[in-house]
Amino acid sequence: MDTFEIGDQDFLLNDRPFRVLSGAIHYFRVHPDLWADRIHKARLMGLNTIETYVPWNEHSPVPGSFVADGGLDLGRFLDLVADSGMHAIVRPGPYICAEWDNGGLPAWLFSDPTVGVRSSEPAYLAAVSAYMESVLDVVVPRQISRGGPVIMFQIENEYGAYGSDNAYLQHLVDLTKRLGVDVPLFTCDQPFGTMIEDGSLPELHKTGTFGSRADERLAFLRERQPTGPLMCAEFWNGWFDNWGTHHHTTDAAGSAAELDALLTAGASVNIYMFHGGTNFGFSNGANDKGIYEPTITSYDYDAPLSEDGQPTAKYFAFRDVIAKHFPVPAEVPAARPSLTASVVSVSGSTPLLSAPPATQLVPGPVPPVEITGQYRGFYLYEVLLQGGGVLSFSEIRDRAQFFLDGVPVGVLSREAGERTVVIPHGGRLQVLLEDQGRVNYGQRIGEAKGLLGPALLNGVEVVDWEIGAVDLKSLDAFHDAALPFPDGDPAHAGVAGPSLSFATFEADGPGDRFLRLDGWTKGNAFINGFNLGRYWSRGPQRTLYVPGPLIREGANELAILELHGSATREVTFAVGPDLGPDEK
């Protein structure tokens, strides 16, 4: 049986020095039918290991559940890593950051305000223990000591940037060992201040996270990890994007030089990201360091392998660096097949609120959305107002569209710090609330979403709100209610929102597409019922990636949730991605 251990200076694979050359691929950001392709391309770049996070909230959307099939089949992903002849590193959190909704922590966990966050609070630890048991049912049998690919297992994630609760970390270590993990346990933290010490325990192997000044960072790490192999557990070779900013890129040659410095110093590395993938559906996270900034749908990350799985200039620059130090396969990935642009017109539409979701009356102050039992997406608030005036809230999380007797009267945005809307007269007020992504870093993880009270109309509290969750898991009811546009209407007649519009298009068979929505404002797009993610005219990204396996031979259905309105009824399947202008 194979072994993997930490020696005085090196990782040891079967008692021989081994350098970990790893690349991050998040299985939950990639269509499962494409996992093998992405793993194979990592091997062709010269890597020997695949690293992945495990998102607790994705696997456990409601309390007591653990979904582990389809795109969440971690076992199958690890088996594919093994089939490729590569090793695996598993980082289950329970907090993962990753620009992922709530940093991977389930929103339902914090419906009880007494539950702790990333601490030794008993209710939190009980929930973490149940989650880890489910994860380790998958991982433990796939450790290298049992014939599988897993060689390392992380405890928490950059915990030193958040807290220093040693009892919490010790609980995770004891739990992990009790459940059968026998591969090396490690922590990773930024090499600044006391983060490495605060985020680890003496018995755990410490690694660093950084993207530049490799020699300096490794020296800092060596002071705090006097023996054992040096490792950059997140080599940041790119960055993520927020709505309304530019597309972040880093110079391929500069990143390759930093990678060369790491390898020349004898360090092991995990490239974050090797392949970023996509924040499908409503899975994106957000930052809030004074200004709320939701992350875009694309998680391309300017990685060596692009969002749609294509090798970039950075891929070949990294491959050349690795080849200076280690053998690399002779094979190189094939280029993307040429695509042909096509235009599709939506043929019918239905107002989103023509059949509003079932609501529950909540006596008293305006409630958070978590009371509905749905923890992502859209919600509807309703209340009868006896008169008009200025309606204010303590905070909007995250974006609210107001309708009085069906007529739009305003939009409030957390990002803009807006909290008041003018209501012209009394009537039935409906508020379409969008959760744009839960904060994934810092002290605001675990916070509630919705209209945060008190809700005051001319200084008097408005109570007894009705609230319901907009269910977009199936679009059948919306499709059945859609009315065709009148014959002869021009494509530039547009679509009023909020609404769901539908189109059918033909395809020869599976194959990647890039959906471009010029002239549309904001919403989500769906292919054959699969939620591709959010689009927004403010950019930077101008296309949504459509994974090839979603497309079937013959008729396919496109659905577009448009929140405001479009200047056209047409969309384009483009010949390639457009993630917006780079920073100049």
Side-chain angles (χ1 to χ4, degrees):
M1 194 64 67
D2 291 332
T3 62
F4 188 83
E5 300 172 306
I6 294 175
D8 290 339
Q9 295 296 323
D10 300 292
F11 291 114
L12 301 175
L13 177 62
N14 297 326
D15 298 323
R16 301 184 64 179
F18 178 81
R19 198 89 70 87
V20 177
L21 306 175
S22 176
I25 302 175
H26 298 158
Y27 61 97
F28 47 94
R29 279 181 160 130
V30 181
H31 191 284
D33 291 353
L34 300 173
W35 288 344
D37 172 79
R38 297 347 187 211
I39 294 167
H40 179 64
K41 288 172 178 173
R43 189 181 69 81
L44 296 186
M45 198 178 81
L47 302 181
N48 58 31
T49 304
I50 299 295
E51 175 271 314
T52 187
Y53 280 131
V54 181
W56 182 4
N57 56 0
E58 201 72 5
H59 284 279
S60 302
V62 295
S65 67
F66 191 81
V67 181
D69 58 4
L72 293 174
D73 192 342
L74 173 60
R76 177 180 171 230
F77 179 77
L78 294 175
D79 291 344
L80 288 171
V81 172
D83 291 344
S84 74
M86 301 181 77
H87 305 290
I89 297 172
V90 178
R91 303 170 69 194
Y95 163 80
I96 64 172
C97 188
E99 292 71 59
W100 188 258
D101 185 55
N102 217 34
L105 298 174
W108 52 258
L109 183 61
F110 307 111
S111 295
D112 178 352
T114 66
V115 172
V117 181
R118 304 179 74 188
S119 72
S120 53
E121 188 277 320
Y124 175 74
L125 290 185
V128 167
S129 297
Y131 159 66
M132 291 295 289
E133 288 179 4
S134 296
V135 172
L136 291 176
D137 282 346
V138 177
V139 174
V140 166
R142 292 175 170 86
Q143 296 177 100
I144 191 170
S145 56
R146 306 192 187 191
V150 178
I151 58 173
M152 296 176 69
F153 191 87
Q154 183 174 293
I155 298 296
E156 245 282 352
N157 183 53
E158 290 193 320
Y159 186 62
Y162 182 85
S164 57
D165 186 341
N166 284 354
Y168 168 48
L169 296 178
Q170 192 65 57
H171 175 88
L172 294 177
V173 171
D174 294 344
L175 174 68
T176 297
K177 290 182 175 180
R178 177 172 60 81
L179 293 174
V181 173
D182 55 26
V183 296
L185 304 178
F186 73 101
T187 55
C188 71
D189 286 280
Q190 298 176 52
F192 302 106
T194 61
M195 289 186 189
I196 289 177
E197 297 93 321
D198 291 344
S200 192
L201 297 171
E203 66 188 273
L204 298 174
H205 191 68
K206 302 171 181 65
T207 67
T209 60
F210 53 87
S212 62
R213 296 156 63 184
D215 292 337
E216 176 185 333
R217 309 301 191 207
L218 291 174
F220 187 98
L221 178 61
R222 178 53 82 200
E223 290 178 2
R224 286 141 185 88
Q225 182 68 59
T227 64
L230 291 171
M231 182 171 182
C232 177
E234 287 188 13
F235 173 57
W236 302 325
N237 65 99
W239 207 244
F240 58 92
D241 297 335
N242 302 115
W243 291 111
T245 63
H246 59 270
H247 174 47
H248 292 78
T249 60
T250 57
D251 176 64
S255 292
E258 290 291 347
L259 177 62
D260 192 29
L262 275 168
L263 299 182
T264 299
S268 288
V269 66
N270 175 51
I271 295 169
Y272 191 99
M273 298 290 298
F274 165 72
H275 171 56
T278 308
N279 295 316
F280 295 118
F282 304 116
S283 62
N284 66 278
N287 283 304
D288 193 332
K289 300 176 182 179
I291 297 177
Y292 176 74
E293 297 177 313
T295 306
I296 68 170
T297 297
S298 171
Y299 199 65
D300 177 81
Y301 211 83
D302 192 35
L305 204 66
S306 68
E307 180 181 11
D308 59 313
Q310 299 305 306
T312 66
K314 190 175 291 181
Y315 180 99
F316 292 106
F318 281 17
R319 190 175 186 275
D320 289 344
V321 166
I322 294 170
K324 289 174 56 179
H325 302 269
F326 304 95
V328 300
E331 180 187 352
V332 296
R336 179 194 296 119
S338 59
L339 300 175
T340 302
S342 61
V343 176
V344 174
S345 295
V346 294
S347 58
S349 179
T350 184
L352 182 65
L353 301 182
S354 61
T359 58
Q360 57 178 310
L361 176 64
V362 181
V366 59
V369 300
E370 288 78 11
I371 199 170
T372 67
Q374 177 177 294
Y375 303 100
R376 288 178 179 167
F378 292 87
Y379 307 83
L380 182 67
Y381 286 88
E382 295 189 319
V383 71
L384 183 63
L385 299 179
Q386 298 304 315
V390 177
L391 180 62
S392 66
F393 302 88
S394 65
E395 191 175 356
I396 302 295
R397 296 184 188 158
D398 300 304
R399 196 170 186 271
Q401 295 174 245
F402 291 80
F403 304 87
L404 187 64
D405 296 330
V407 178
V409 292
V411 178
L412 296 184
S413 165
R414 170 181 181 173
E415 189 176 358
E418 297 163 332
R419 301 181 181 183
T420 61
V421 60
V422 175
I423 307 299
H425 53 75
R428 188 71 176 175
L429 182 69
Q430 293 179 302
V431 185
L432 182 62
L433 190 286
E434 180 185 6
D435 168 1
Q436 292 185 283
R438 294 177 185 268
V439 172
N440 56 255
Y441 184 85
Q443 300 303 313
R444 299 195 71 155
I445 56 175
E447 66 183 7
K449 291 285 190 175
L451 303 175
L452 300 193
L456 303 176
L457 181 63
N458 301 326
V460 178
E461 187 168 13
V462 179
V463 296
D464 301 340
W465 293 74
E466 296 176 52
I467 185 172
V470 179
D471 184 1
L472 295 171
K473 291 187 290 294
S474 173
L475 303 180
D476 290 348
F478 296 103
H479 184 276
D480 293 344
L483 296 176
F485 297 119
D487 290 340
D489 262 18
H492 63 261
V495 175
S499 62
L500 274 151
S501 300
F502 297 89
T504 299
F505 64 94
E506 297 289 323
D508 294 336
D512 285 354
R513 305 284 197 281
F514 304 92
L515 183 65
R516 192 174 186 103
L517 291 117
D518 294 342
W520 298 73
T521 305
K522 189 181 194 302
N524 284 69
F526 305 76
I527 293 287
N528 294 324
F530 182 90
N531 192 337
L532 298 175
R534 309 177 204 254
Y535 67 88
W536 200 347
S537 58
R538 67 188 297 200
Q541 76 176 97
R542 300 297 180 189
T543 55
L544 292 175
Y545 173 52
V546 183
L550 293 179
I551 304 297
R552 52 195 182 217
E553 183 178 0
N556 293 265
E557 183 178 85
L558 167 69
I560 303 174
L561 169 63
E562 170 56 48
L563 296 177
H564 295 282
S566 70
T568 179
R569 292 178 186 163
E570 293 181 338
V571 299
T572 301
F573 285 112
V575 297
D578 181 354
L579 299 181
D582 299 343
E583 182 179 20
K584 301 300 182 185

